[in-house]
């Protein structure tokens, strides 16, 4: 999956997967944080994150960056796009602040991903109990986790200025 990340995009929380994930920078410099070490990838460079290694990624530049990520599944992709979409809906274009989803919404998205994207905030049995509880509360309050409407290109065209790059 190719991802474009603006300087205002919220950084995903530190997490790990039961599978390998590989990042390859395409345009600009993307920062990958793996096991606490910040690694900057320039176009053409790649980095593999092994199963169980804590990691995240971010844009530390003033420009939009693009990178290719081999993610665990399409569900992980949907979770990222949901988080970024909610950030843009709650954001403020005038002062470039994009706070991300609210706490319940964040937990609902994390609950939808807990078996393939693990956030090392607590032992897994505690997380499983939390996710089951969060999903019930979220459903009762009308809050959803992953939302496919953020996969629609028209959402991003309306909310984010699109870079004019050659085909990657």
């Amino acid at each position: 999956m190719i991802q474009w990340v603006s300087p205002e995009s919220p950084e995903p929380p530190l997490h790990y997967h039961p599978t390998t994930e590989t990042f390859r920078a395409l345009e600009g410099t993307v920062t990958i944080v793996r096991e606490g070490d910040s690694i900057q990838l320039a176009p053409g460079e790649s980095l593999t994150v092994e199963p169980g290694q804590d990691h995240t990624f971010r844009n530390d530049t003033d420009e939009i960056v693009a990178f290719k990520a081999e993610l665990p599944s399409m569900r992980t992709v949907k979770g990222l796009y949901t988080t970024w979409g909610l950030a843009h809906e709650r954001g403020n274009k005038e002062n470039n602040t994009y706070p991300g989803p609210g706490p319940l919404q964040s937990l609902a998205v994390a609950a939808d991903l807990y078996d393939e994207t693990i956030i090392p905030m607590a032992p897994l049995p505690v997380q499983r109990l939390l996710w089951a509880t969060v999903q019930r509360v979220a459903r009762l309050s009308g809050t959803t986790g992953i939302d496919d409407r953020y996969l629609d290109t028209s959402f991003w065209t309306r909310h984010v200025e699109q870079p004019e790059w050659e085909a990657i």
Side-chain angles (χ1 to χ4, degrees):
M1 175 185 127
I2 295 176
Q3 299 181 43
W4 288 269
V5 182
S6 71
E8 302 85 22
S9 296
E11 176 180 336
L14 192 64
H15 62 279
Y16 64 90
H17 307 286
T19 59
T20 299
E21 184 173 9
T22 301
F23 297 89
R24 184 170 55 91
L26 301 172
E27 183 81 24
T29 301
V30 63
T31 300
I32 310 297
V33 179
R34 180 181 66 185
E35 296 289 310
D37 294 325
S38 293
I39 304 155
Q40 294 187 330
L41 300 179
E45 296 179 331
S46 63
L47 177 75
T48 297
V49 177
E50 297 299 329
Q53 287 186 317
D54 291 345
H55 66 281
T56 188
F57 58 87
R58 64 177 179 253
N59 179 353
D60 289 336
T61 73
D62 292 332
E63 305 294 326
I64 294 174
V65 299
F67 63 94
K68 184 175 182 178
E70 294 175 18
L71 300 169
S73 76
M74 190 59 187
R75 204 163 30 126
T76 299
V77 173
K78 290 179 179 184
L80 286 169
Y81 274 85
T82 296
T83 301
W84 291 329
L86 290 164
H88 279 279
E89 283 187 336
R90 294 182 70 216
N92 183 329
K93 284 186 177 182
E94 287 76 39
N95 63 10
N96 285 333
T97 57
Y98 296 91
L104 184 58
Q105 188 88 49
S106 294
L107 288 170
V109 171
D112 285 349
L113 298 173
Y114 84 89
D115 59 338
E116 66 182 45
T117 302
I118 298 99
I119 301 170
M121 62 178 198
L124 282 178
V126 173
Q127 287 190 48
R128 286 188 180 107
L129 177 62
L130 174 64
W131 300 145
T133 304
V134 164
Q135 284 177 326
R136 285 187 193 100
V137 170
R139 270 194 293 262
L140 290 172
S141 71
T143 302
T144 60
I146 292 174
D147 190 334
D148 286 345
R149 70 187 163 119
Y150 298 113
L151 296 176
D152 186 344
T153 304
S154 66
F155 171 86
W156 297 101
T157 303
R158 287 191 316 272
H159 287 85
V160 179
E161 183 179 341
Q162 301 300 303
E164 294 186 26
W165 291 330
E166 294 181 29
I168 297 178

